[in-house]
Amino acid sequence: MRWQGQKVGDVDAAALPGLEDRSSVLRTVTTPEFAGMTFHEVLSKSVLNHVPGASRMPFAWTINPYRGCSHACIYCVSPDTLILCADGRQRPLRDLEIGDEIIGTEEQGDYRRYVRTTIQAKWSTQKPAYRVTLADGTILIASGDHRFLTEHGWKHVADAESGQRPHLTTNNRLMGFGIGSADSRVDRTTSDYRLGYLAGMIRGDGMIFHGSYPSKTRTREINMFRLALVDPEALDRTRDYLAMEGVSTHLRPFTAESPTRRPANAIHTAARASVQKIEQLIVTPTTPGVNWFTGFLAGIFDAEGSCSRGVLRISNKDAEIIRLIEEGLRELGIPYVAEAERPNGVRNVRVTGGLPSRQKFFALTDPAITRKLTLVGFAVETASNLRVTEVAPLSGTRELLDITTGTGDFIANGVISHNCFARGTHEYLDLDGGADFDSQIVVKVNVVEVLEKELRKGSWQHETVALGTNTDPYQRAEGRYKLMPGIIEALAASGTPMSILTKGTLIRRDIPLLIEADKRVPVDVQMSIAMYDDELQKAIEPGAPTTQARLDTVRALADAGFPVTVFLMPIMPHMTDSVAAIDEGLRRIKEAGARRVIYGALHLRAGVKPWFFQWLSEARPDLVSSYRGLYPGVSAEAPKAYRQWLAKRVRPLIRMHGLDGRHEDDYPQRVRPVRFAPTAASAPTAQPMLF
């Protein structure tokens, strides 16, 4: 495995002071992808860890493929950033959810190409940001740690606070197509846009007929409107827009599917008043505005346009329609050429300027037919001027989001952007429970091979193996090392039941594997979700998956047939222990499809307690005195009286929501995974992180 920009070095003997067998360390790895983190890749002699007092446990063995946690989110962009989706449309990052299909890139042969990928996780944080301005007018808002692809490889937005790293300068050009300056004149919610769309669609592909048929007794007047299309998106939009103008139409099959032809449906009306109204609606205004032209171009493209091999064309015989197409493109600043008339009388208007012009056309006009918009398979080429003209810091902090994708990147405001990968606690190997947990990650790279050998031993009794009791198996690093698929397969193949606890939404990647494993052995899945107040969750878990993202993961697992348990832990005195807060959390847990809840109060271990109180003194100084009374000593759990009080409050609510529930006091000590630990930035900012 080789990460771009990574440095591989000899192991520093002082780096892992608690590791007895230093010969097991293969190498240390640092990479801009995980700035500030060091990965110690080790060869483990044994991976199955026996649990002392197993007779009191629901499992006898554990596996921890990682030590430390890399859920520290640093690559972040503005929620308003437009992300290119698989259907060709661009949507704000804030509107996207885990599981959505978007466009990423991957190297195929000599070229990097646009490919489909899915969102595997979504993150939120608050931090300082920069504004990156490109020569074509594209603007990007991102953290200084975020990386974009340039002609010279991946580069961070800004240099490191200490030391040096590749970062953007005005000599760099980003890869992609950009989105240019926003055209504030365009408003696709206006009636002008709708009327323009109807004019382009119906004049391009519709049929209006007036006639009369005499008979022996009377002359019958015929009025008919019909629009037949194979693409339901354009047909539905046209029908909706007509309805908004007071014209009702009927939907019926038009042509049946054949081996060489897709089925088509038609909307139609034979009401004279409706047909006359349609004729009035599609007349060109005396002075059409920018929104009418924008709608007209969308409609005529849906009716008569194509985008073959990346070339956008609109064809028609009608000279007036060709004139309107040209005038509309000029109005929107989209370059084009009008080709010579062909022998059959058809003329093409072809958009020039490559992918940037094509994407500008789609972004401004928003055609309905998505199959014409796809970029999948096209090579990444930068035809527009995406030179960096300015990188400017913005004042204060702001909400930023990022996502994990299957390709490791996504298209943000038309340029290729690197993605985030996933956060947590540690006090083993003599590393502290603060910054070391986030910055010194031990990876057992041979975990699958060793596990397979141990499972083949004749002494193996196929007892339940738990993952996630110490560190999260679906932390960010798993997005790169991909150890869990092999672990799941090895356990299932050997007939070993497994239990997985995580707060990482990356588990959705492995749902198909878990479904197959569940056919062979019992598979228990648990999700840790402690906070249901978004602001509090951001303050305490600034880099972790959002509460909603984790609830969506519960829903995905439940829909796959797993009876998911949610760990409602820790419940924090005076912050999340009110009836209203607990009731809201249980309501959302139930709606997500979980079957069971395990709850418990905050427990502060010795290595975590100083970090927590440092955060509390800054975020909630009014609670410091109360917490010191509740948590005296070096390491403490909430007093028994508080835990009993909490149980009396929570149990009736659990029953009310129809959930099965248990207090952590009724649950084995070794399965208390949700504890406080600091974030990657704990030392300077003293913000703790739940794990």
Side-chain angles (χ1 to χ4, degrees):
M1 177 181 297
R2 184 81 180 177
W3 301 343
Q4 181 166 344
Q6 78 175 26
K7 293 182 180 180
V8 180
D10 295 332
V11 178
D12 181 356
L16 299 173
L19 186 67
E20 296 179 1
D21 183 7
R22 301 193 197 289
S23 65
S24 67
V25 183
L26 284 179
R27 60 181 183 172
T28 60
V29 180
T30 60
T31 169
E33 197 164 352
F34 291 86
M37 295 183 187
T38 300
F39 291 90
H40 304 281
E41 297 182 357
V42 305
L43 294 178
S44 184
K45 294 180 178 179
S46 176
V47 297
L48 281 168
N49 308 303
H50 190 258
V51 180
S55 61
R56 298 182 290 106
M57 303 291 172
F59 55 87
W61 301 84
T62 66
I63 299 173
N64 293 297
Y66 303 97
R67 292 288 191 179
C69 192
S70 54
H71 270 305
C73 178
I74 61 171
Y75 308 123
C76 309
V77 294
S78 167
D80 297 322
T81 303
L82 295 176
I83 307 302
L84 182 62
C85 297
D87 62 4
R89 304 192 189 285
Q90 298 191 74
R91 297 182 176 88
L93 178 55
R94 62 159 44 91
D95 294 342
L96 299 181
E97 301 295 341
I98 296 170
D100 287 348
E101 278 199 324
I102 62 172
I103 296 296
T105 72
E106 66 180 21
E107 293 182 0
Q108 298 178 358
D110 295 332
Y111 296 95
R112 179 181 289 273
R113 296 186 181 275
Y114 295 103
V115 298
R116 286 177 178 265
T117 187
T118 57
I119 298 177
Q120 298 176 345
K122 186 176 180 181
W123 313 93
S124 172
T125 190
Q126 296 273 345
K127 61 193 314 177
Y130 291 75
R131 181 180 61 247
V132 180
T133 305
L134 307 183
D136 76 330
T138 297
I139 292 177
L140 300 146
I141 305 296
S143 70
D145 295 305
H146 199 85
R147 292 197 294 157
F148 295 101
L149 186 62
T150 74
E151 78 277 31
H152 298 304
W154 294 104
K155 292 199 173 184
H156 293 273
V157 168
D159 201 358
E161 292 184 7
S162 60
Q164 294 183 334
R165 64 183 180 188
H167 63 280
L168 297 179
T169 70
T170 52
N171 293 322
N172 292 131
R173 187 179 63 152
L174 301 191
M175 303 301 291
F177 47 84
I179 58 171
S181 302
D183 193 332
S184 59
R185 302 173 303 158
V186 174
D187 183 354
R188 294 189 296 273
T189 65
T190 63
S191 61
D192 279 355
Y193 176 84
R194 294 194 298 271
L195 294 176
Y197 184 87
L198 291 173
M201 171 55 72
I202 295 172
R203 290 167 69 173
D205 219 8
M207 185 274 290
I208 295 178
F209 173 78
H210 297 286
S212 59
Y213 290 89
S215 67
K216 293 181 179 180
T217 58
R218 65 185 179 93
T219 298
R220 184 182 177 191
E221 183 180 345
I222 302 295
N223 300 278
M224 176 64 70
F225 159 74
R226 185 185 69 208
L227 176 67
L229 298 171
V230 297
D231 294 286
E233 301 146 311
L235 200 63
D236 291 344
R237 181 185 288 190
T238 304
R239 192 181 189 194
D240 289 343
Y241 283 1
L242 286 173
M244 294 174 72
E245 300 300 327
V247 178
S248 177
T249 58
H250 303 283
L251 178 68
R252 64 176 175 84
F254 185 69
T255 58
E257 185 175 13
S258 73
T260 59
R261 183 175 59 191
R262 292 186 295 157
N265 291 322
I267 57 172
H268 65 98
T269 180
R272 180 174 61 180
S274 294
V275 176
Q276 291 175 343
K277 181 67 177 292
I278 292 172
E279 289 179 305
Q280 295 169 5
L281 293 174
I282 64 176
V283 171
T284 305
T286 304
T287 54
V290 64
N291 289 312
W292 188 91
F293 275 121
T294 302
F296 178 82
L297 290 173
I300 195 64
F301 178 79
D302 279 341
E304 302 280 21
S306 65
C307 196
S308 176
R309 297 183 180 179
V311 180
L312 192 158
R313 292 186 178 89
I314 306 175
S315 306
N316 207 275
K317 290 183 177 181
D318 190 316
E320 173 65 8
I321 289 180
I322 295 295
R323 182 188 70 79
L324 290 172
I325 294 170
E326 293 186 70
E327 190 173 343
L329 292 173
R330 287 196 298 270
E331 183 71 28
L332 295 181
I334 298 172
Y336 72 93
V337 294
E339 298 176 349
E341 183 178 308
R342 291 185 291 182
N344 62 358
V346 172
R347 293 188 68 192
N348 290 326
V349 178
R350 174 168 49 86
V351 170
T352 60
L355 188 56
S357 295
R358 168 189 155 175
Q359 293 304 116
K360 181 178 181 180
F361 178 93
F362 291 152
L364 289 175
T365 65
D366 191 31
I369 301 175
T370 55
R371 65 176 173 85
K372 298 182 181 183
L373 312 184
T374 183
L375 272 178
V376 173
F378 286 96
V380 174
E381 297 175 348
T382 300
S384 57
N385 189 356
L386 300 184
R387 181 177 57 83
V388 176
T389 60
E390 183 185 41
V391 179
L394 301 175
S395 60
T397 61
R398 58 184 61 205
E399 180 188 14
L400 299 174
L401 301 175
D402 214 330
I403 51 179
T404 298
T405 72
T407 56
D409 63 4
F410 56 95
I411 314 303
N413 282 0
V415 299
I416 301 174
S417 166
H418 210 286
N419 76 181
C420 176
F421 285 91
R423 195 174 263 275
T425 22
H426 81 165
E427 295 156 40
Y428 42 78
L429 302 178
D430 292 347
L431 301 172
D432 69 47
D436 278 349
F437 183 86
D438 295 316
S439 61
Q440 304 291 328
I441 313 299
V442 178
V443 185
K444 301 175 183 178
V445 293
N446 67 332
V447 63
V448 176
E449 293 83 353
V450 175
L451 176 62
E452 289 173 340
K453 292 179 181 178
E454 293 182 332
L455 294 174
R456 286 196 296 266
K457 292 180 179 179
S459 58
W460 178 241
Q461 299 297 308
H462 306 281
E463 299 170 275
T464 297
V465 171
L467 296 107
T469 62
N470 197 334
T471 55
D472 197 329
Y474 284 104
Q475 59 177 279
R476 279 177 59 210
E478 172 62 18
R480 282 299 185 185
Y481 284 99
K482 297 180 175 63
L483 302 179
M484 282 300 292
I487 292 172
I488 293 168
E489 176 58 32
L491 291 172
S494 70
T496 301
M498 69 191 82
S499 173
I500 300 173
L501 171 64
T502 182
K503 67 177 176 182
T505 53
L506 191 57
I507 192 174
R508 295 177 70 157
R509 178 199 66 190
D510 292 344
I511 286 179
L513 282 176
L514 292 170
I515 292 173
E516 291 303 312
D518 194 49
K519 295 176 182 177
R520 293 183 279 181
V521 297
V523 176
D524 184 34
V525 183
Q526 303 151 353
M527 178 65 64
S528 170
I529 315 176
M531 304 291 159
Y532 297 83
D533 177 292
D534 290 342
E535 292 305 315
L536 183 61
Q537 192 267 336
K538 290 176 185 177
I540 295 178
E541 300 181 307
T546 64
T547 296
Q548 189 57 53
R550 282 182 263 182
L551 288 168
D552 290 342
T553 302
V554 171
R555 168 53 61 191
L557 289 162
D559 288 346
F562 293 99
V564 183
T565 296
V566 170
F567 277 73
L568 181 59
M569 299 167 59
I571 295 176
M572 302 177 65
H574 311 303
M575 283 191 270
T576 63
D577 62 354
S578 69
V579 170
I582 296 169
D583 180 62
E584 172 66 7
L586 292 171
R587 180 189 65 80
R588 295 175 69 182
I589 290 170
K590 177 67 174 180
E591 289 179 351
R595 300 273 189 89
R596 187 185 194 191
V597 172
I598 294 173
Y599 64 95
L602 174 68
H603 176 88
L604 294 175
R605 291 181 300 187
V608 174
K609 188 175 179 181
W611 298 95
F612 172 75
F613 271 95
Q614 187 178 350
W615 171 83
L616 191 68
S617 65
E618 296 181 5
R620 291 296 305 271
D622 57 309
L623 295 180
V624 171
S625 177
S626 177
Y627 268 75
R628 291 203 184 281
L630 284 169
Y631 296 94
V634 178
S635 176
E637 59 183 346
K640 184 177 181 180
Y642 177 83
R643 301 198 307 272
Q644 291 174 339
W645 172 87
L646 183 64
K648 290 179 181 179
R649 172 164 286 193
V650 176
R651 283 171 181 161
L653 293 173
I654 288 177
R655 289 194 296 269
M656 184 180 73
H657 287 282
L659 291 161
D660 179 23
R662 292 178 69 178
H663 191 281
E664 71 163 339
D665 284 352
D666 303 322
Y667 205 69
Q669 289 286 325
R670 288 295 292 271
V671 196
R672 294 189 184 175
V674 187
R675 294 293 183 262
F676 266 100
T679 67
S682 288
T685 64
Q687 287 182 314
M689 168 65 200
L690 283 173
F691 173 68

